[in-house]
Each structure stands twice: as C-alpha cells, then as structure tokens.
Amino acid sequence: MIDDEVKDILRELLAATGGAAATIAPANAEHTEPAPAGVATRIAPLGGGNELRLHVKPGVAAAAAADAGDAVSTAIEHAVRALRAAARRWEEALPIVSIGDAPANAGERVAARIAAFVAALTSIQHARNACLVVDHKVLAWARTPEALDEARWPLLERRAHAAAPGEGLSSHGEVVDPDAYALTFWYGAALLLYFSAPYGVDFVRHRARQVARELALLLPTLEPGPGAPAMRLPVP
C-alpha cells in the first residue's frame, strides 16, 4: 500500500536528519497544531496540493549546514523525490500522514532512529520485513513478524555469523537465500531481510551495507561495546 511506503520514506527522513516529526499536509492550510517547542519547521512542496513538513531542532539544522553542506536540505530533497515517485508508481495521491514525535530521552531517540533505519529496508522491492539482531536478541522489527519469520531468524543469524571469513579478513558474514538475506556487522549484530519474491542481490547487499554503516554509529550509544583491539572492521 502507498500508505506503508510513504511512512517508510518519512521514517528514513527522520533517521537521516534526527528530526522530531515529518508530516504530509495540504499546502497553504492553516496549521492548527504548532511545531514542538524548540524546533524549526522546514517545508518542501510535493505537488498535488500537498507539502512536506519536517520539524528539526535549530541546532541540528545549523550543524548540518556548517558541517555537511546542509545535509538536512539534501535529505528533504531525497524524500521529496521518493514521495513523488511513490505517488506515480501507485497512481494515487499522497496520503495526509504524520510520523514521529520527539522521544523522551537520548536513549529513546537513538532507539527510534535505529527502528526507522530497519523499517526503511522494507522499501526495497519485494522486501516484506526486516529485523536487527544484536547478541542473539532481536532489537527491532520493521513490522510485526509472521510466526515463521520469528521462528526462522535465529538460524539465519547463526548462518550469517558462521559465514564470516577467518581472522585477518573482513569479519562480516553474509547469507543469500531465495527469500531472505542476512548481513553481520559491528559486535555480534546482524541485519535480516525477508522477501516475498526474487530480489536483486547486488542492490540489496549495497542497501544493507549502507544501513549497517549508519547502525554501527548508533548502536554504541545504547550500550558500551568491547574495547580495542576487539573492534571489528567496518562494513566494506
């Protein structure tokens, strides 16, 4: 459904920008709800009488502009293109929807960003679910898992870790099944994706590695990782 794809795009936008909330709303409509305290609203036209509104803390936007050529604006432009493409593909108007709100504390904000990155993986063609496993425990599901998926993840994770090359090489393992893909990274972490139809392995591998790099920066903030020299090599 277009609603699910749109929500995934908005979640990815929040994950990329650290935004508090993202909304698709009618353009030029009266705003009955003010932006959360201490945040600024960035607005971008979507066409069809709608616009994208992103609530971003001023400090985040200023840092992005100074350090990365305004990464927030870049992320918004990417989201706008993805939303317009979704509307064309589904041949439907974009739904009026809002995603997110500022979590209560830093730990919750990190967990929300991690969940958003995992959920964004389901925007890959034919991907129906994804999960992040750390230390043999599921940290986040993109969607409520089916019973078979929930029963299957431990074996997929073990196979991915077993596929990792020996010492001196990349410490990351990979599993490529007709209906599933797994990639290990960081300290005992693995990304698992489930598919409803055949998928492009090279594209999925590339996308999973992109997300893994982002998650490897977020996971250490949840709990301390092992000290040097136990640090594994980054995802190539």
Side-chain angles (χ1 to χ4, degrees):
M1 296 177 60
I2 188 172
D3 294 49
D4 291 335
E5 183 172 352
V6 166
K7 289 177 181 177
D8 287 341
I9 293 170
L10 295 183
R11 290 189 187 100
E12 190 167 18
L13 174 62
L14 293 182
T17 61
T23 301
I24 295 175
N28 303 319
E30 291 187 7
H31 306 326
T32 58
E33 296 183 4
V39 305
T41 301
R42 304 280 289 271
I43 298 175
L46 290 169
N50 291 333
E51 64 186 16
L52 172 64
R53 303 175 191 156
L54 175 67
H55 296 316
V56 184
K57 293 182 179 181
V60 173
D67 299 336
D70 198 349
V72 172
S73 291
T74 300
I76 291 173
E77 291 174 5
H78 175 78
V80 167
R81 289 195 297 269
L83 289 167
R84 289 174 175 170
R88 290 193 299 270
R89 185 163 52 254
W90 288 91
E91 298 183 346
E92 295 183 24
L94 291 172
I96 305 303
V97 65
S98 183
I99 290 292
D101 204 346
N105 55 54
E108 290 183 1
R109 287 195 295 272
V110 171
R113 294 191 68 188
I114 288 173
F117 273 116
V118 174
L121 285 171
T122 59
S123 64
I124 297 174
Q125 186 178 27
H126 303 312
R128 56 183 179 79
N129 211 342
C131 70
L132 169 64
V133 181
V134 180
D135 292 333
H136 313 298
K137 296 179 182 178
V138 175
L139 195 62
W141 281 99
R143 298 178 178 134
T144 302
E146 298 177 4
L148 182 59
D149 295 342
E150 197 163 16
R152 186 182 178 188
W153 74 256
L155 178 58
L156 276 175
E157 184 218 12
R158 288 197 299 270
R159 288 174 57 202
H161 284 296
E167 294 296 329
L169 301 173
S170 168
S171 57
H172 308 292
E174 181 184 58
V175 170
V176 179
D177 283 352
D179 61 345
Y181 176 85
L183 174 73
T184 66
F185 68 103
W186 200 58
Y187 312 115
L191 276 174
L192 313 180
L193 285 81
Y194 298 90
F195 295 87
S196 59
Y199 57 93
V201 176
D202 289 341
F203 176 77
V204 170
R205 178 184 292 121
H206 173 71
R207 190 73 181 93
R209 288 180 175 181
Q210 283 184 321
V211 172
R213 291 189 188 100
E214 298 294 337
L215 294 177
L217 299 176
L218 293 170
L219 286 171
T221 64
L222 291 180
E223 57 180 323
M231 174 70 78
R232 295 188 177 190
L233 296 174
V235 177

